[in-house]
Amino acid sequence: MNILVLNGPNLNLLGKREPEIYGQESYTTLVERISDHCLRQGIGVEIRQTNHEGVLVDWIQEAAGKYDGIVLNPAAYTHTSVALLDAVKAVGIPTVEVHLSDPDSREDFRHVSYVRHACVAAVKGKGYAGYLEAIDLLAKEI
Ligand code: CA2
């Protein structure tokens, strides 16, 4: 089983700003946690981050035929992007939406998720552990 983990805008700043919301650990630590977890489970994984919506769309499209599942934290694009929703729908790869924080308990504009309509599950408010839970959910789904 091969999975793709995609992270959207500003997640590269983890540990550097807003630690009260996103924690004190760095993006590099997140990547290490995911890599270690997948290694232990015998899951192949590729982990990427971009600040650009179109790049996320390209990566989702290119995942077809290469990956069995996607873990997606679209960050701010969660709340704005029909393009990401359409891309996830178009490729038809089981996708789990993940958020470090719980957007539903934050500002009203974060309560909407477009991509959720194409995802098999959403994991929210569990910090870095949420990514590992999302991977385990995918492993059961696939
Ligand atoms: O909780 C999440 O994972 C979010 O997807 C994070 C997004 C936010 O727009 C979503 O509503 C919820 C923001 C990512 C920004 O990450 C930062 C990390 C460190 C410092 C500043 C921003």
Side-chain angles (χ1 to χ4, degrees), residues 24-79:
Q24 294 191 335
E25 294 177 301
S26 67
Y27 180 75
T28 306
T29 300
L30 174 63
V31 170
E32 286 169 0
R33 292 265 171 83
I34 296 168
S35 302
D36 287 353
H37 184 75
C38 288
L39 195 62
R40 278 196 300 272
Q41 310 284 326
I43 297 169
V45 67
E46 166 125 6
I47 307 157
R48 302 181 191 159
Q49 187 275 332
T50 178
N51 292 329
H52 304 280
E53 183 178 15
V55 173
L56 285 170
V57 171
D58 287 344
W59 285 346
I60 292 166
Q61 287 186 10
E62 289 160 13
K66 290 189 197 152
Y67 297 97
D68 307 299
I70 299 174
V71 171
L72 177 61
N73 184 347
Y77 294 134
T78 306
H79 318 300

